[in-house]
Amino acid sequence: MTAAARYGDPAAVLAVASDVLNLQLAHRSVRRFGPREVTDDELTALIAAAQSAPTSSNLQAWSVVAVRDPARKARLAGLAGNQAFVAQAPLFLVWVADLDRAHRLAARARREVAAADYLETTIIGFVDTALAAQNAVVAAASLGLGSVFVGAIRNRPAEVAAELKLPPHAVATFGLAVGTPDPTEQADIKPRLPQAAVLHREQYDAVAADAHIASYDRILSGYNARFGLSGNWSSRVLDRLRGPASMAGRHRLREILERLGLPSR
């Protein structure tokens, strides 16, 4: 049933199954949480899962800041587009692309790490952070916890860095609100593009892939209408990427990264 929900197609089925697949297929964003705290034992388990993700050359170029203080969560919510659920969630994790650990290692060893200033290494930091955080999301689901990523933490990265006392050479990449899902929240599994739109065999075939977008637009439009929303996937993509005005300040990210010690040459 979860494959059918994932694609908005009753005929969609998978020939293989596992508990992990079921958790992944059932994923949805949770933006309303119950009052129960996320325990320290649960937090420890989430971070252990995160640290079990792949990492480029074992650099482990990420850190995470666990925020529970209500006042700090409220300030971070304000910096992240005034999204109320950031303050309401019992636990807010801020995932950090962290190259400062390597810089500190170099300082102690009196060595140079000039490669840390290049775009490739910045990308490694962001990729490692994303892989780790996604592992934590799946682990959270296995413990009965819900979550939602918060990309708006990049709206004002310098202010977030100051709030969290991040060192130089480190930047908050996104947040993750975590808690027990509130069963009264009006939400469901959001259908994704059909596999034929994203899976290419041997070589990329744009014509064949894009032939499936119109049907997906109809599916997502119907999903949105269930929750009082308008529009389809194509309109959302075009609106989100129309220009700097649609980026909530993130069009200045390269400049701010340089100021934070990640020049990305």
Side-chain angles (χ1 to χ4, degrees), residues 166-249:
L166 299 185
H169 320 295
V171 64
T173 60
F174 44 77
L176 184 70
V178 183
T180 303
D182 182 338
T184 68
E185 183 181 14
Q186 296 298 304
D188 205 345
I189 298 170
K190 183 178 289 186
R192 295 293 197 250
L193 285 162
Q195 284 199 12
V198 301
L199 174 61
H200 303 262
R201 298 185 186 275
E202 306 301 338
Q203 293 184 313
Y204 197 106
D205 187 340
V207 173
D210 290 356
H212 299 275
I213 290 177
S215 62
Y216 177 63
D217 275 339
R218 289 191 293 272
I219 290 170
L220 197 61
S221 181
Y223 172 90
N224 287 339
R226 286 171 51 201
F227 300 102
L229 304 172
S230 61
N232 56 30
W233 180 77
S234 293
S235 62
R236 170 64 174 164
V237 170
L238 296 175
D239 287 345
R240 175 62 180 81
L241 300 178
R242 70 183 183 274
S246 67
M247 297 180 70

Side-chain angles (χ1 to χ4, degrees), residues 89-113:
L91 175 66
F92 189 61
L93 299 175
V94 183
W95 298 85
V96 178
D98 185 358
L99 301 180
D100 194 60
R101 186 181 298 113
H103 280 274
R104 298 194 303 269
L105 179 65
R108 290 193 295 271
R110 297 183 181 180
R111 296 275 301 274
E112 186 178 44
V113 285

Side-chain angles (χ1 to χ4, degrees), residues 13-121:
V13 294
L14 296 182
V16 297
S18 72
D19 291 341
V20 174
L21 270 172
N22 289 338
L23 280 176
Q24 292 172 316
L25 290 170
H27 170 77
R28 71 169 180 86
S29 295
V30 174
R31 294 182 175 86
R32 185 179 297 168
F33 301 94
R36 184 179 78 79
E37 295 294 325
V38 177
T39 69
D40 280 343
D41 286 344
E42 288 170 327
L43 174 59
T44 298
L46 297 187
I47 304 310
Q51 289 187 283
S52 300
T55 169
S56 180
S57 301
N58 201 30
L59 292 179
Q60 304 181 66
W62 63 273
S63 292
V64 61
V65 181
V67 180
R68 287 192 172 105
D69 177 65
R72 177 161 290 111
K73 285 190 296 179
R75 290 193 295 272
L76 289 170
L79 294 172
N82 295 307
Q83 298 183 81
F85 65 83
V86 173
Q88 192 255 330
L91 175 66
F92 189 61
L93 299 175
V94 183
W95 298 85
V96 178
D98 185 358
L99 301 180
D100 194 60
R101 186 181 298 113
H103 280 274
R104 298 194 303 269
L105 179 65
R108 290 193 295 271
R110 297 183 181 180
R111 296 275 301 274
E112 186 178 44
V113 285
D117 290 344
Y118 284 82
L119 177 61
E120 160 65 7
T121 311

